[in-house]
């Protein structure tokens, strides 16, 4: 009997439950891209007055509370989804739409961030080549790959994750040896990496808003809820992803801060571009010469490229779902090329948007992404209170009050605190985007007289387009 392929976006097919705890944690860590700690180290050191580990510690505390809330709401609403899914189900579809619209900034700009990081790597290796050429070549390469096929990157992500962590371990060993020889702070134990006389809480919070970008991806594991061997492992997977990822960031930033106690080492001659772009190549050069620079850059390059492919495919896939659900014009955004079986318009659009990376800095784009992420994290905490304490009435015992009111309220306040400390340009741009989303919501609901359609379709969005075979007689 003849068969044809039909995108899962159109219905049919079931996701296989074949992902265990550590497979899901590995996917989450792969999305987080551990080497990003070196990419943003220079700008965070500048903004925090050289206490980068303190910024990561604050961000980790905030993320732990939020991860606990993700785990609780993911258990209650086990279908694959994200912040907007949980807000839609626990509070209201219109608010869920707004959270989803705001989070769309993350999806659209993440490919641009990967483009900026790759550009910085190649600039360091080939300083005589104009930077815009690397942006154009990168966008063409990634767009072409995704245009031809959208495949799962879990195995590749795991391989690159292991490689990146091994390189980071080698880096830590080298730095510790140098510190013991008297370089940098000349000690491996110092509170100065977390606190000294010139540090203010405002500076630490500013740094924490930047490094929140490093944690983006831990919430992506909620997308695998329907592919987990046992849905009960999801809360543990989410929390482990945050703790392990945060531990990697803390160790790497701590030894780096001791090795480079003054951020001005990254700005020769006062050139701020070396700080505002990725400092990973410079760190590798200063610690281990050209060899470590090449190895560390290779680790960062591979991990960033894999993340770039996954994020590019994911946002194209999300735009496809929004098109199929008529959140966006279906004829354009819901189109799948019959030859490549990919949403080609969406893929090219994301590639075109990534070209805008040419005039922007990593710092500004990361700040815009953090705007959407912190909004999503805040509303996940609110969703726990709305679902358990209000809808389910879980507020009568001390344990329920702590678990479903106090803990998520702390998470909500902490993420809100970081949000108000965002870069001013990020706040302005983000608020404009949010206002546009509200206007669009009014249009598609005709002044709230119609029910808003969902962003997702109650299935995993894992960075590729799954297909299932459908018999001809079922077409």
């Amino acid at each position: 009997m003849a068969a044809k392929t039909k995108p899962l976006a159109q219905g049919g097919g079931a996701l296989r439950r074949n992902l265990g705890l550590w497979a899901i944690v590995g996917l989450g860590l792969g999305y987080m891209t551990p080497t990003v700690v070196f990419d943003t180290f220079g700008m965070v050191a500048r903004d925090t007055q050289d206490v980068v580990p303190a910024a990561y510690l604050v961000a980790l505390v905030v993320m732990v509370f939020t991860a606990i809330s993700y785990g609780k709401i993911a258990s209650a609403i086990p279908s694959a989804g994200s912040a907007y899914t949980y807000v839609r189900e626990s509070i209201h579809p219109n608010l869920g739409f707004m959270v989803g619209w705001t989070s769309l900034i993350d999806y659209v700009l993440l490919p641009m961030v990967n483009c900026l990081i790759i550009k910085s790597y190649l600039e360091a290796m080939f300083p005589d080549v104009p930077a815009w050429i690397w942006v154009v070549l990168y966008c063409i390469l990634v767009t072409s790959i995704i245009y031809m096929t959208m495949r799962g990157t879990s195995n590749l992500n795991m391989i690159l994750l292991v490689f990146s962590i091994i390189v980071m371990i080698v880096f830590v060993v080298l730095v510790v040896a140098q510190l013991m020889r008297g370089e940098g702070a000349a000690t491996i134990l110092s509170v100065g990496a977390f606190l000294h006389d010139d540090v203010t809480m405002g500076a630490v919070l500013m740094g924490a808003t930047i490094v929140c970008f490093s944690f983006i991806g831990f919430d992506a594991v909620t997308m695998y809820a329907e592919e987990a061997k046992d849905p009960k492992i999801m809360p543990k997977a989410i929390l482990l992803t945050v703790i392990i990822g945060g531990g990697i960031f803390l160790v790497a930033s701590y030894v780096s801060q001791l090795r480079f106690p003054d951020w001005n080492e990254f700005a020769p001659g006062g050139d701020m571009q070396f700080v505002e772009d990725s400092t990973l190549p410079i760190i590798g050069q200063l610690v281990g010469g050209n060899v470590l620079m090449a190895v560390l850059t290779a680790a960062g390059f591979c991990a960033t490229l894999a993340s770039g492919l996954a994020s590019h495919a994911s946002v194209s896939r999300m735009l496809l779902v929004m098109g199929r659900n008529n959140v966006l014009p279906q004829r354009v955004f819901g189109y799948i090329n019959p030859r490549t079986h990919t949403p080609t318009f969406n893929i090219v659009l994301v590639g075109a948007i990534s070209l805008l990376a040419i005039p922007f800095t990593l710092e500004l784009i990361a700040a815009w992404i953090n705007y959407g992420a912190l909004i999503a994290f805040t509303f996940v905490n609110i969703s726990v209170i709305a679902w358990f304490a209000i809808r389910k009435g879980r507020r009568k015992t001390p344990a329920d009050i702590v678990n479903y009111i106090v803990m998520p309220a702390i998470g909500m306040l902490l993420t809100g605190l970081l949000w108000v400390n965002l870069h001013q340009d990020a706040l302005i741009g983000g608020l404009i985007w949010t206002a546009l989303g509200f206007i669009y919501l009014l249009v598609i609901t005709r002044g709230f007289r119609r029910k808003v359609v969902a962003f997702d379709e109650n299935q995993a969005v894992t960075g590729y387009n799954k297909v299932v075979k459908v018999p001809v007689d079922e077409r």
Side-chain angles (χ1 to χ4, degrees), residues 206 209 367 370-371 374 417-424 426-427:
M206 177 67 73
T209 63
N370 286 336
Y371 172 91
L374 288 170
L417 181 63
L418 293 184
W419 186 83
V420 297
N421 280 278
L422 279 172
H423 192 288
Q424 184 178 1
L427 285 173

Side-chain angles (χ1 to χ4, degrees), residues 381-393:
N381 286 296
I382 295 173
S383 294
V384 171
I385 299 174
W387 181 268
F388 291 100
I390 298 176
R391 288 203 173 200
K392 301 300 180 181

Side-chain angles (χ1 to χ4, degrees), residues 58-74 83 86 212 215 218-219 222 234-235 238-239 242 373-384 406-416 418:
V58 170
L60 177 58
V61 171
V62 175
M63 293 302 112
V64 165
F65 277 96
T66 301
I68 292 172
S69 289
Y70 262 106
K72 290 173 182 175
I73 199 70
Y86 304 139
C212 275
F215 287 87
F218 86 85
D219 58 321
T222 60
M234 291 307 299
I238 295 169
L239 190 58
V242 170
L374 288 170
I375 289 289
F377 295 161
T378 299
F379 276 95
V380 166
N381 286 296
I382 295 173
S383 294
V384 171
V406 175
M407 293 283 285
I410 293 174
M412 176 186 67
L413 291 173
L414 290 175
T415 52
L418 293 184

Side-chain angles (χ1 to χ4, degrees), residues 169-186:
I169 291 172
V170 172
F171 171 84
V172 169
V173 171
L174 287 174
V175 171
V176 168
Q178 292 177 359
L179 292 171
M180 294 180 69
R181 291 200 304 266
E183 298 186 44

Side-chain angles (χ1 to χ4, degrees), residues 268 357-358:
I358 294 174

Side-chain angles (χ1 to χ4, degrees), residues 22-23 25 53 111 114 144 165 177 299 315 329 441:
W22 292 107
V25 171
N114 292 303
S144 298
I165 291 177
V315 66
L441 177 63

